[in-house]
């Protein structure tokens, strides 16, 4: 419910439906009948935030309680923010229209490092003191979860509580606790002391960090009720945990606007560059029946005409051959399209291809990630050139004419030869198409090469590696372009400065809090949007804090250095990561978890169970 | 079903008011398509490579305009009770989009010639109050209008006076209310924002602090479009 003073602004902004609320399946409760109000904040635009599955799960989970009301808050676009600030309108939640500062619990999901400044901006716009030391009352409590909080240190100045791992259980436990303390009239400190006792709750103010003279971490010591190490939470059984029966259906076009069926968590692959592949372990699968029922319920409740399956690598799902026919059985009759993202080339079966032909055909995407076999071995992307060619060949026979190839640049051990290999591989795919007698008649092929810049992340075997500098990346980009000879190949890549900042924030320590604060004061926000990103402001902020991005990004860390995130326990053993790092430098591969368990340690989080080895 | 046709042509009459005025035309189309699905309306789908519900909207409504006279045509593949269908659709639609009735169409969408609007200036300044009458009664109201020239769109000065069929100005509680019938339809269509722009141009009235409400659509003979 939008308030009168807000409605006046809506006439002057782009896409006003971002700010109105009132979408189908949005939940409106009587605020006087609930004991706790929770503002779920996504620190980016409405279109990005409304595409996020985690938001949908937690929104529905909290709203299933009678004593709490969860609402949604997104970062307003600049035109709206300007008008809000000019007219003294605070950032509000879409369901009630009430200001952020009126809530008991404010939760941010940290999906990417470049959204940090938006957190500060949203708190400020919502009338909440940006620095946690300036917040003295019991409420609001600002919490954060999501993949970035595996290293929460750079944003500890702004967030009271971090929830590493999966949120379904701990969110409810924290809500119960806050309700209890509100009723008792406790102080903030009393609440935080109790919260720190819950497993998977990290209260940063109970940890003291000391630094060596060279700027590395000397020690991290816990105080009060806080454990020495904070263990991430996981959901043991995905078949019984909460999953939404409906989604809020946006009026405007958002990035992911369809039914989403989550098939499993974790990944068996162990690609060494991939943070998600490690921090979401161990593997836990849902049964095909559960997924089918959940998709059907959501499709009925939303009217969506498309279903997508979501996981880190959907074709690794052991129930895929059973699930696809189950979904097709009803979906096709109801004119609902089923799309399967993140398919890997190495297990793309003939049967799956046949099934895929029944539905609308989208482009085909492969991610070889590196241009040569040596480098693919080093990063443990166990895909060979023959496999890429074989699958592409099958795809061309099946009528596909557009192929997207995803690569990374700046990978550890990479040489210019590996960069040239990217162009060569793309060229081989083009040549393959024209050699194929069964290719679609009268059509050309398009091969789109998309090159991301590698960013070393915590809890991966590459967490100790130096990141390429902006100059090195630009040189590699030029080298790649010079190697592309065919007009059938298009190349796109990321801005190199953004990758550098992402790397700094990903592996940073607490001292970066001041840098982020200064950058935000200088006007930095929406850093993941090229049109807003301003590296010169960030550089000024670093200089004013006597810190350099190079210290965080381009330095090789020793195995025995205390890393800023060492007190976070994600199940993965450090010795395992060191082992993997050494193997990378010898271009040695590690078989995936279904072939052989590498004893990463994550199964301990689930009582020794891991669905990779059922 | 009538005769030997295997479907029934129907027209749905609905209102789009309140916050729903901020939903653009394309988003409205999608919203209603999804509502059809949720309400299990046996609507005919196109049979091409990309089957989709076949819906025909009479006139797109501009963003920010409320309307009491929206219509969409579709084909029903099964005999269903139209009153019950209305109810089902209302349960599947957001609150500010309300189906009033579903019935067999009387006119063709191409028969629409006029539309009646209520235009409310919430904060008219002295100049607007003084000049509105004389401007509306003058022979010429020249506005810049985007028109097609071949394939290109160019801005041209046009006189919209002849497309204002009737108008009535009322001052009430500090607001200025203009009720007017403008040319509408697929040959000549006058967007009320053109008129608002012309009226507020040389004044200090905020042209965005205006409520626009579409009340009715009419045919050539001023019969209400049904």
């Amino acid at each position: 419910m939008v308030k009168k003073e807000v409605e006046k602004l809506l006439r002057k902004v782009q896409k006003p439906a971002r700010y109105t609320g009132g979408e189908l399946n949005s939940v409106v409760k009587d605020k006087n009948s609930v004991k706790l109000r929770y503002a779920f904040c996504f620190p980016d635009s409405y279109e990005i935030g409304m595409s996020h599955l985690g938001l949908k799960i937690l929104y529905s989970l909290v709203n299933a309680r009678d004593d709490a009301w969860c609402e949604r808050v997104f970062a307003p676009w600049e035109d709206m923010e300007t008008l809000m600030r000019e007219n003294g309108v605070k950032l509000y939640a879409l369901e009630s229209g009430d200001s952020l500062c009126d809530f008991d619990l404010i939760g941010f999901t940290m999906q990417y490092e470049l959204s940090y400044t938006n957190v500060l901006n949203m708190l400020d716009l919502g009338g909440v003191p940006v620095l946690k030391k300036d917040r003295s009352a019991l409420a609001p409590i600002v919490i954060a979860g999501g993949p970035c909080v595996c290293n929460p240190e750079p944003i500890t100045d702004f967030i009271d509580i971090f929830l590493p791992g999966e949120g379904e259980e701990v969110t409810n436990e924290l809500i119960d606790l806050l309700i209890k303390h509100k009723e008792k009239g406790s102080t903030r400190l009393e609440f935080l002391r109790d919260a720190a006792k819950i497993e998977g709750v990290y209260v940063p103010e109970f940890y003291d960090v000391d630094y060596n003279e060279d700027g590395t971490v000397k020690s991290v010591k816990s105080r009060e009720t806080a454990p020495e190490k904070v263990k991430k939470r996981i959901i043991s059984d995905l078949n019984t945990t909460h999953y939404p029966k409906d989604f809020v259906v946006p009026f405007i076009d958002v990035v992911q606007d369809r039914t989403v069926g989550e098939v499993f968590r974790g990944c068996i692959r162990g690609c060494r560059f991939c943070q998600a592949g490690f921090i979401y372990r161990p593997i836990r699968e849902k049964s095909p029946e559960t997924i089918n029922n959940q998709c059907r319920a959501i499709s009925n409740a939303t009217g969506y005409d498309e279903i997508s399956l979501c996981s880190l690598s959907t074709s690794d799902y052991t129930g895929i051959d059973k699930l696809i026919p189950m979904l097709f059985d009803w979906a096709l009759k109801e004119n609902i399209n089923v799309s399967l993202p993140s398919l890997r080339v190495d297990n793309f079966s003939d049967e799956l291809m046949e099934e895929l032909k029944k539905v609308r055909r989208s482009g085909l995407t492969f991610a070889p990630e590196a241009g040569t076999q040596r480098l693919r071995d080093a990063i443990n992307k166990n895909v060979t050139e023959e496999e890429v060619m074989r699958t592409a060949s099958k795809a061309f026979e099946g009528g596909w004419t557009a192929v997207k190839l995803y690569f990374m640049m700046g990978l550890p051990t990479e040489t210019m030869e590996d960069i040239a290999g990217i162009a060569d591989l793309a060229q081989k795919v083009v040549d393959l198409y024209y050699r194929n007698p069964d290719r679609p008649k009268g059509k050309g092929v398009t091969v789109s090469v998309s090159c991301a810049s590698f960013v070393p992340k915590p809890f991966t075997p590459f967490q100790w590696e130096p990141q390429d500098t902006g100059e090195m990346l630009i040189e590699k980009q030029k080298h790649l372009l010079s190697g592309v000879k065919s007009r059938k190949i298009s190349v796109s890549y990321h801005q190199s400065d953004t990758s550098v900042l992402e790397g700094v924030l990903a592996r940073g320590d607490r001292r970066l809090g001041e840098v982020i604060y200064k950058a935000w004061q200088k006007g930095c926000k929406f850093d993941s949007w090229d049109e807003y990103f301003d590296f010169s402001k960030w550089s000024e902020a670093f200089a004013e804090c006597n810190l350099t991005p190079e210290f965080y990004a381009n330095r090789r860390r020793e195995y025995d250095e205390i890393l800023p995130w060492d007190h976070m326990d994600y199940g993965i053993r450090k010795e395992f990561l060191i082992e993997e790092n050494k193997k990378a430098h010898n271009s040695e591969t590690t078989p995936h978890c279904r072939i052989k368990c590498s004893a990463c340690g994550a199964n301990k989080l689930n009582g020794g169970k891991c669905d990779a080895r059922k | 079903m009538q005769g030997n046709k295997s479907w029934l042509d129907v027209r749905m009459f609905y209102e789009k008011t309140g916050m729903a005025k901020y939903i653009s035309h394309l988003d409205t189309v999608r919203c209603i398509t999804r509502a059809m699905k949720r309400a299990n309306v046996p609507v005919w789908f196109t049979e091409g490579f990309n089957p989709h519900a076949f819906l025909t909207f009479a006139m797109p409504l501009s963003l920010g305009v409320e309307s009491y006279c929206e219509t969409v045509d579709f084909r029903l593949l099964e005999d269903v009770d139209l009153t019950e269908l209305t109810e089902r659709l209302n349960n599947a639609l957001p609150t500010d989009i309300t189906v009033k009735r579903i019935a067999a169409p009387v006119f063709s969408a191409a028969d629409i010639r006029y539309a009646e609007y209520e235009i409310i200036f919430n904060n008219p300044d002295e100049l607007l109050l003084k000049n509105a009458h004389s401007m509306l009664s003058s022979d010429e109201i020249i506005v810049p209008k985007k028109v097609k020239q071949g394939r290109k769109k160019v801005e041209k000065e046009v006189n919209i006076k002849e497309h204002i069929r009737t108008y009535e100005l009322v001052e009430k509680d500090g607001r200025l209310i203009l009720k007017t019938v403008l040319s509408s339809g697929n040959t000549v269509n006058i967007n009320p924002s053109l008129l608002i722009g012309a009226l507020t141009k040389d004044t200090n009235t905020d042209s965005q602090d205006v409520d626009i409400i579409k009340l009715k659509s009419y045919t050539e003979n001023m019969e209400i479009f049904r």
Side-chain angles (χ1 to χ4, degrees):
Chain A
M1 255 215 310
V2 170
K3 308 212 153 131
K4 198 91 197 131
E5 70 264 24
V6 176
E7 221 226 289
K8 273 193 190 151
L9 311 183
L10 293 182
R11 298 163 198 231
K12 304 182 180 183
V13 297
Q14 297 256 306
K15 300 194 191 171
R18 284 168 170 169
Y19 311 109
T20 58
E23 306 96 320
L24 191 97
N25 299 330
S26 59
V27 179
V28 176
K29 295 188 179 185
D30 172 6
K31 65 178 171 192
N32 299 314
S33 77
V34 296
K35 291 178 179 163
L36 181 136
R37 298 186 63 189
Y38 182 17
F40 190 105
C41 304
F42 195 101
D44 210 318
S45 72
Y46 178 90
E47 290 91 323
I48 308 276
M50 281 301 290
S51 309
H52 180 237
L53 181 59
L55 179 155
K56 296 169 208 268
I57 294 175
L58 292 173
Y59 181 79
S60 136
L61 176 107
V62 175
N63 281 325
R65 304 171 61 122
D66 288 332
D67 57 356
W69 181 13
C70 179
E71 305 184 39
R72 295 161 298 145
V73 186
F74 302 98
W77 203 244
E78 193 171 34
D79 56 349
M80 183 64 171
E81 184 190 334
T82 306
L83 285 172
M84 287 169 80
R85 290 197 188 270
E86 277 171 14
N87 293 276
V89 171
K90 286 182 187 154
L91 182 62
Y92 58 92
L94 292 179
E95 281 75 2
S96 65
D98 290 338
S99 304
L100 200 52
C101 55
D102 297 336
F103 283 76
D104 301 304
L105 204 52
I106 298 172
F108 283 93
T109 178
M110 309 308 314
Q111 297 295 314
Y112 29 90
E113 294 81 1
L114 296 181
S115 63
Y116 288 171
T117 48
N118 276 7
V119 174
L120 279 62
N121 204 39
M122 286 171 76
L123 288 172
D124 182 58
L125 198 52
V128 180
V130 168
L131 294 167
K132 75 166 184 262
K133 67 174 168 61
D134 298 333
R135 302 192 289 259
S136 52
L138 176 60
I141 295 285
V142 181
I143 63 175
C148 292
V149 313
C150 71
N151 175 22
E153 297 306 290
I155 47 172
T156 47
D157 286 350
F158 321 105
I159 307 286
D160 300 305
I161 290 177
F162 292 93
L163 303 175
E166 292 161 17
E168 283 99 332
E169 289 170 358
V170 74
T171 299
N172 273 332
E173 291 163 25
L174 204 63
I175 288 174
D176 289 338
L177 188 72
L178 186 52
I179 289 176
K180 212 174 86 190
H181 280 275
K182 264 185 77 179
E183 283 168 351
K184 275 204 308 201
S186 308
T187 64
R188 190 178 188 82
L189 187 61
E190 285 165 338
F191 167 71
L192 289 177
R193 276 185 190 136
D194 264 4
K197 293 180 198 159
I198 301 176
E199 182 164 283
V201 170
Y202 175 51
V203 181
E205 68 184 66
F206 295 159
Y207 293 77
D208 296 323
V209 182
D210 272 332
Y211 298 90
N212 294 311
E213 253 166 54
D214 65 1
T216 55
V217 174
K218 187 176 179 192
S219 68
V220 178
K221 291 198 183 90
S222 61
R223 284 191 288 112
E224 300 271 354
T225 49
E228 202 181 312
K229 277 193 150 204
V230 182
K231 195 193 275 184
K232 79 152 181 170
R233 291 289 289 268
I234 62 150
I235 301 301
S236 184
D237 183 0
L238 294 187
N239 287 307
T240 51
T241 191
H242 182 90
Y243 200 73
K245 291 185 178 55
D246 58 28
F247 288 173
V248 175
V249 183
F251 291 121
I252 60 170
D253 213 2
V254 302
V255 182
Q256 304 281 347
D257 201 12
R258 52 185 71 90
T259 297
V260 181
E262 190 191 19
V263 295
F264 68 92
R265 294 185 188 170
C267 184
I268 62 168
R269 295 285 160 177
C271 305
R272 292 177 182 133
F273 55 84
C274 177
Q275 187 183 41
F278 293 97
I279 63 169
Y280 293 119
R281 293 184 180 202
I283 309 282
R284 285 139 302 141
E285 291 194 332
K286 261 188 213 173
S287 75
E289 290 77 15
T290 306
I291 301 164
N292 185 51
N293 291 339
Q294 290 174 344
C295 287
R296 191 148 199 184
I298 293 167
S299 296
N300 287 340
T302 56
Y304 280 141
D305 61 359
E306 191 178 357
I307 296 171
S308 89
L309 298 178
C310 170
S311 74
L312 292 172
S313 176
T314 298
S315 53
D316 283 334
Y317 173 51
T318 54
I320 191 86
D321 291 340
K322 205 168 160 203
L323 174 63
I324 299 286
M326 266 170 135
L327 286 171
F328 278 17
D329 186 50
W330 56 273
L332 298 192
K333 269 180 236 155
E334 296 177 23
N335 292 302
I336 294 172
N337 185 30
V338 181
S339 65
L340 306 168
S342 50
L343 289 174
R344 288 184 49 110
V345 286
D346 41 349
N347 54 5
F348 205 90
S349 70
D350 289 335
E351 295 75 38
L352 194 54
M353 183 71 87
E354 281 309 306
E355 291 284 0
L356 285 174
K357 275 195 216 163
K358 291 186 194 165
V359 292
R360 237 174 283 161
R361 186 170 291 149
S362 54
L364 203 60
T365 305
F366 300 135
E369 308 292 4
T372 61
Q373 195 57 45
R374 186 207 61 79
L375 188 54
R376 281 195 293 273
D377 288 347
I379 62 175
N380 206 39
K381 184 83 189 184
N382 294 330
V383 169
T384 63
E385 189 174 307
E386 291 72 49
E387 281 167 330
V388 173
M389 291 300 150
R390 199 174 60 230
T391 320
S393 176
K394 252 195 261 179
F396 292 149
E397 282 161 30
W400 270 273
T401 58
V403 176
K404 256 191 229 165
L405 298 174
Y406 284 2
F407 292 97
M408 265 186 293
M409 260 182 197
L411 289 161
T413 77
E414 183 178 77
T415 63
M416 282 304 183
E417 202 178 305
D418 297 307
I419 297 296
I422 295 174
D424 293 344
L425 187 59
Q427 186 61 47
K428 281 178 190 163
V429 174
V430 172
D431 295 343
L432 177 81
Y433 180 83
Y434 289 104
R435 274 205 315 273
N436 194 332
D438 297 326
R439 67 177 184 263
K441 295 285 168 278
K443 278 186 182 169
V445 67
T446 55
V447 176
S448 318
V449 172
S450 173
C451 243
S453 305
F454 169 68
V455 177
K457 294 276 170 100
F459 294 103
T460 67
F462 292 154
Q463 63 178 355
W464 296 278
E465 295 292 328
Q467 185 179 357
D468 273 5
T469 60
E471 294 77 43
M472 285 157 85
L473 288 169
I474 289 167
E475 202 183 315
K476 286 178 178 174
Q477 287 167 353
K478 279 192 194 141
H479 190 68
L480 169 63
L481 283 182
S482 70
V484 173
K485 302 281 184 264
S486 165
R487 284 200 309 192
K488 303 288 177 194
I489 302 171
S490 67
V491 181
S492 63
Y493 41 77
H494 288 186
Q495 213 175 308
S496 56
D497 287 347
T498 53
S499 307
V500 171
L501 181 63
E502 184 186 332
V504 169
L505 297 175
R507 294 192 291 175
D509 53 37
R510 284 192 181 189
R511 296 176 302 169
L512 289 185
E514 201 188 340
V515 179
I516 296 169
Y517 190 71
K518 285 210 153 91
W520 165 68
Q521 281 183 319
K522 291 175 192 296
C524 289
K525 60 188 169 193
F526 286 108
D527 292 306
S528 59
W529 296 74
D530 282 352
E531 62 262 52
Y532 282 108
F533 183 69
D534 186 347
F535 196 64
S536 64
K537 285 183 185 150
W538 277 98
S539 299
E540 285 170 28
F542 273 102
E544 285 167 27
C545 299
N546 289 318
L547 292 169
T548 66
E550 290 77 17
F551 172 79
Y552 296 98
N554 311 121
R555 178 173 66 89
R556 178 177 297 285
R557 291 150 171 82
E558 297 304 321
Y559 291 143
D560 60 4
E561 178 178 332
I562 295 174
L563 302 172
W565 54 92
D566 273 352
H567 53 298
M568 307 301 281
D569 178 4
Y570 271 61
I572 308 284
R573 292 181 305 117
K574 202 173 193 178
E575 303 75 50
F576 164 75
L577 293 176
I578 292 173
E579 203 57 38
E580 283 291 298
N581 182 276
K582 289 178 181 163
K583 283 169 92 175
H585 285 280
N586 294 325
S587 304
E588 266 178 66
T589 60
T590 298
H592 69 66
C593 307
R594 211 156 271 150
I595 298 174
K596 185 174 175 292
C597 174
S598 304
C600 68
N603 62 342
K604 279 206 295 293
L605 298 168
N606 198 20
K609 278 202 303 270
C610 176
D611 282 354
R613 309 277 292 169
K614 287 205 267 204
Chain B
M1 303 288 117
Q2 323 139 295
N4 47 12
K5 258 202 287 183
S6 59
W7 68 77
L8 177 68
D9 286 307
V10 292
R11 178 164 293 160
M12 173 174 121
F13 299 82
Y14 67 96
E15 298 175 355
K16 186 166 169 275
T17 57
M19 282 294 132
K21 71 172 171 233
Y22 294 113
I23 309 172
S24 70
H25 178 65
L26 276 178
D27 293 338
T28 308
V29 172
R30 195 173 45 217
C31 175
I32 289 176
T33 309
R34 285 175 180 160
M36 297 261 175
K37 195 147 213 151
R38 288 193 289 270
N40 278 316
V41 181
V43 61
W44 183 73
F45 272 67
T46 59
E47 282 156 359
F49 284 108
N50 183 4
H52 57 274
F54 189 70
L55 306 178
T56 314
F57 290 77
M59 289 288 295
L61 188 68
S62 300
L63 192 71
V65 179
E66 292 181 84
S67 173
Y68 289 89
C69 59
E70 292 303 287
T71 66
V72 54
D73 298 350
F74 52 91
R75 295 168 176 179
L76 282 175
L77 295 174
E78 285 164 35
D79 233 334
V80 282
D81 182 85
L82 296 179
T83 317
E84 191 247 347
L85 190 64
T86 303
E87 202 175 307
R88 239 157 65 194
L89 270 163
N90 277 329
N91 289 333
L93 279 163
T95 41
D96 288 343
I97 297 179
T98 314
V99 181
K100 300 312 279 185
R101 65 193 179 96
I102 299 171
V106 176
F107 299 107
S108 142
D111 294 334
I112 296 177
R113 285 290 179 280
Y114 302 104
E116 185 176 8
Y117 293 95
E118 187 168 74
I119 297 167
I120 304 168
F121 297 88
N122 288 315
N123 277 306
D125 70 334
E126 283 302 312
L127 276 168
L128 180 69
L129 291 173
K130 210 171 78 189
N131 298 345
H133 231 288
S134 56
M135 276 188 78
L136 284 162
S137 58
S138 71
D139 294 336
E140 271 193 339
I141 301 176
I142 304 292
V143 299
K145 190 177 191 289
K146 285 201 178 103
V147 290
K148 273 187 196 154
Q149 206 172 62
R151 279 190 185 176
K152 270 191 265 171
K153 268 198 167 178
V154 292
E155 206 172 74
K156 261 176 82 174
E157 303 257 287
V158 293
N159 181 9
I160 58 168
K161 173 65 189 179
E162 56 173 321
H163 300 302
I164 303 175
R165 190 185 161 104
T166 63
Y167 69 88
E168 188 190 322
L169 273 172
V170 185
E171 264 186 72
K172 204 178 161 191
D173 308 328
R175 302 190 303 170
L176 180 66
I177 301 166
L178 166 63
K179 218 170 177 181
T180 179
V181 175
L182 304 176
S183 291
S184 176
N186 47 22
T187 41
V188 186
N189 191 56
I190 300 300
N191 190 319
S193 63
L194 289 176
L195 186 56
I196 293 167
L199 289 172
T200 55
K201 202 176 79 182
D202 298 320
T203 72
N204 295 315
T205 302
D206 182 355
S207 65
Q208 280 170 313
D209 192 8
V210 178
D211 294 332
I212 310 171
I213 304 145
K214 191 172 176 184
L215 299 170
K216 285 185 184 78
S217 293
Y218 297 101
T219 64
E220 181 82 68
N221 306 321
M222 289 306 282
E223 282 185 90
I224 290 174
F225 178 72
R226 300 173 270 151

